Amino acid sequence: DVVMTQTPVSLPVSLGGQASISCRSSQSLVHSNGNTYLHWYLQKPGQSPQLLIYRVSNRFSGVPDRFSGSGSGTDFTLKISRVEPEDLGDYYCLQSTHFPPTFGSGTKLEIK
Amino acid sequence: EVQLVETGGGLVRPGSSLKLSCATSGFTFSNTWMNWVRQAPGKGLEWVALIKDKYSNYEANYAESVKGRFTISRDDSKSRVYLQMNTLRDQDTATYYCTKGGNWFAYWGQGTLVTVSS
């Protein structure tokens, strides 16, 4: 299985500040069709995960432009600018290029 | 509005069976791939099973950890997806989420908690 390594485990940020989360895969996530199936989720406390970014850099419907995704191959980053209280929670990356789909272990975004 | 509502969770003994159900609405279920993803208490997310649509002959795929014990199925006439769980183990204790989509899980239900304990 593809191992997804997320860092940091915990990320204290100031409201209004910027956060950056890294996700690295144990093998390239470029599919044979040329697409890269790396996605980002936020799980707020007590809630289900919600999709933020799909295929590296595409914001899902309703996701603020404060969230941005980038990267290629095995190295990916989620950036959150102007952090707001509603952004707090656990962030997960997911790869679905290779079977089975695998998640990163999560990054907890908390207030400094 | 897309809605996914899971039911069927509960407290069961090791070795027993349980069937989860996910009722859906707000999208064309019959041509949508559906998944189950689980989350053990205080832990991360683990993909469990996928069922494709009729155009893919309802092909099902499973995580190694549940293969041979769990069966995913669907009823397109009811817009429902199911997860039959047999020979349950302590380590199957988790919140089970029904999710919509093949390549990325765009929508999630609220989850149903399965606790396996003697």
Side-chain angles (χ1 to χ4, degrees), chain B residues 12-93:
Chain B
V12 295
R13 304 287 192 204
S16 61
S17 300
L18 202 59
K19 186 172 185 177
L20 307 183
S21 177
C22 173
T24 76
S25 61
F27 62 98
T28 305
F29 179 82
S30 61
N31 62 9
T32 301
W33 294 12
M34 299 295 296
N35 295 266
W36 288 94
V37 175
R38 68 184 180 183
Q39 186 172 37
K43 302 297 184 183
L45 301 165
E46 179 189 17
W47 172 81
V48 173
L50 158 72
I51 187 163
K52 299 180 180 179
D53 60 16
K54 59 185 175 184
Y55 305 106
S56 299
N57 296 316
Y58 300 115
E59 178 184 341
N61 298 110
Y62 301 92
E64 278 300 321
S65 58
V66 307
K67 193 177 290 185
R69 300 187 300 122
F70 289 14
T71 302
I72 189 171
S73 61
R74 61 191 294 159
D75 185 336
D76 289 351
S77 68
K78 295 182 179 177
S79 297
R80 284 179 177 259
V81 61
Y82 305 96
L83 187 67
Q84 175 67 48
M85 305 184 295
N86 298 331
T87 320
L88 283 161
R89 304 167 179 166
D90 289 353
Q91 52 265 49
D92 295 319
T93 293

Side-chain angles (χ1 to χ4, degrees), chain A:
Chain A
D1 296 2
V2 175
V3 176
M4 304 298 290
T5 302
Q6 251 185 269
T7 55
V9 172
S10 175
L11 183 54
V13 295
S14 300
L15 293 176
Q18 179 165 301
S20 180
I21 300 170
S22 170
C23 184
R24 289 185 171 158
S25 56
S26 59
Q27 55 185 281
S28 174
L29 298 186
V30 180
H31 193 276
S32 56
N33 65 14
N35 290 322
T36 299
Y37 295 99
L38 185 283
H39 326 292
W40 291 96
Y41 295 83
L42 164 60
Q43 185 173 31
K44 298 180 182 181
Q47 296 186 20
S48 306
Q50 57 189 84
L51 178 64
L52 296 173
I53 302 284
Y54 64 95
R55 279 200 286 121
V56 181
S57 59
N58 298 277
R59 272 187 303 275
F60 189 56
S61 174
V63 175
D65 60 8
R66 301 183 292 100
F67 292 88
S68 63
S70 63
S72 62
T74 62
D75 202 348
F76 303 90
T77 302
L78 175 70
K79 282 188 165 56
I80 311 159
S81 60
R82 306 182 304 279
V83 170
E84 298 187 3
E86 68 203 46
D87 301 336
L88 304 182
D90 296 322
Y91 289 78
Y92 295 93
C93 58
L94 163 70
Q95 73 79 24
S96 56
T97 296
H98 304 284
F99 180 83
T102 47
F103 290 90
S105 52
T107 295
K108 182 177 290 294
L109 188 71
E110 48 197 16
I111 295 300
K112 190 183 296 184

